[in-house]
Amino acid sequence: MKFSEMPYARPDLDAVKQQFADLLARFKAAATYAEAHAIFLEEEKLNKHVDTLAQLASVRNTIDTRDKFYDEEMNFWNEATPQLQECQNAWSRAMLDSPFRADFTAEYGDLMFLNAEIARKCFKPEIIPEMQQENDLTQEYEKLLASAQIPFEGKTYTLSQLTPLKSDPDDARRLAAWQADAKWSMEHAAELDELYDKLVHLRDSMGRKMGYEGYTTLGYYRMNRNCYTKEDVE
């Protein structure tokens, strides 16, 4: 199946959240590992289905940010994704507390439990509004970059199309490509600076709500850094 042929339909958010809640309740009530494992696979399947829909909308929106249908779909996902993360975090907590944790570890290894511990450190329901705003600002930033129309050597390029020319073996051509890129960036400096400023303050607020000194610690957890820390980088 070609990517263009993959079916997409906006899911019913309330119905999906209820599906996650039902799976969570069944998982907590499981009497045996076999029962818990079967529900675990159901949750994995639901997660993959929802994530596939979200990624389809995101990629198709990125391909053409002027497509009003997928622009509206991204507005939906910007609001929905943080709510679904609350469901996923509740599942992670249940996995960590499961009486069958040792059985899951024996079959799958302990990495998913390490990642679940990290996920627990980077989410609280209190930051859902900020996460939704962050998604909107990120989408606005991506649309601004995608809108770039840069004149170069008699043709018009997007930022992505210009990128290979910035590594051209000819010094003069490479310099000219970088200058064309910089000219566009400077012409939109005010918009870029405003988005950056809003995101910095928003993420700092998220970090403090999570109990951290600011965003840095939360940022590491959100990148799922499970094998090195900020201290290692320093």
Side-chain angles (χ1 to χ4, degrees):
M1 179 184 291
K2 295 180 180 179
F3 178 75
S4 60
E5 297 170 346
M6 294 181 71
Y8 172 83
R10 180 189 295 187
D12 182 323
L13 181 58
D14 289 335
V16 170
K17 288 163 69 174
Q18 187 59 54
Q19 285 178 275
F20 277 117
D22 292 343
L23 286 167
L24 181 64
R26 289 171 53 208
F27 183 80
K28 288 180 175 180
T32 65
Y33 174 62
E35 186 182 354
H37 183 259
I39 300 165
F40 166 79
L41 294 179
E42 285 185 60
E43 199 272 348
E44 285 281 293
K45 184 177 180 180
L46 178 59
N47 251 327
K48 289 178 181 178
H49 172 67
V50 173
D51 189 54
T52 296
L53 294 177
Q55 294 303 323
L56 279 171
S58 177
V59 173
R60 288 174 179 168
N61 177 247
T62 302
I63 289 171
D64 184 0
T65 57
R66 298 164 299 180
D67 187 318
K68 291 184 178 180
F69 175 80
Y70 283 108
D71 196 48
E72 282 299 314
E73 291 310 294
M74 286 310 300
N75 289 336
F76 164 78
W77 286 108
N78 288 348
E79 294 289 318
T81 303
Q83 297 179 56
L84 292 172
Q85 187 168 338
E86 184 172 11
C87 299
Q88 290 160 354
N89 269 62
W91 178 267
S92 294
R93 289 194 299 274
M95 286 289 292
L96 288 167
D97 297 336
S98 173
F100 307 110
R101 176 169 172 170
D103 299 281
F104 279 108
T105 299
E107 184 164 353
Y108 294 103
D110 60 1
L111 181 60
M112 67 177 178
F113 289 103
L114 174 59
N115 289 338
E117 289 282 7
I118 293 172
R120 186 158 62 174
K121 294 176 181 178
C122 63
F123 178 83
K124 285 181 181 178
E126 289 84 349
I127 68 170
I128 286 178
E130 281 92 345
M131 293 173 69
Q132 292 170 331
Q133 292 175 56
E134 180 186 36
N135 287 340
D136 288 336
L137 289 168
T138 302
Q139 183 184 0
E140 191 176 342
Y141 170 77
E142 290 173 350
K143 286 173 70 173
L144 176 59
L145 296 188
S147 72
Q149 297 288 295
I150 303 171
F152 184 74
E153 296 181 341
K155 297 180 181 179
T156 301
Y157 293 83
T158 64
L159 287 169
S160 296
Q161 291 169 335
L162 193 66
T163 297
L165 301 175
K166 289 155 62 177
S167 300
D168 194 275
D170 181 86
D171 289 352
R173 193 169 191 240
R174 186 170 65 250
L175 174 62
W178 276 100
Q179 289 174 331
D181 181 301
K183 183 174 184 294
W184 182 88
S185 297
M186 291 306 298
E187 288 171 349
H188 295 83
E191 297 161 88
L192 292 166
D193 287 351
E194 182 180 5
L195 288 169
Y196 183 81
D197 183 69
K198 287 179 178 178
L199 281 166
V200 167
H201 285 89
L202 189 65
R203 288 168 171 162
D204 181 71
S205 172
M206 291 165 67
R208 294 181 188 282
K209 278 191 177 183
M210 289 295 300
Y212 304 122
E213 78 294 341
Y215 184 68
T216 304
T217 299
L218 175 58
Y220 269 79
Y221 288 141
R222 295 180 88 194
M223 290 187 288
N224 205 35
R225 295 288 186 249
N226 56 25
C227 56
Y228 66 90
T229 67
K230 178 168 69 73
E231 289 70 32
D232 292 321
V233 173
E234 290 172 351

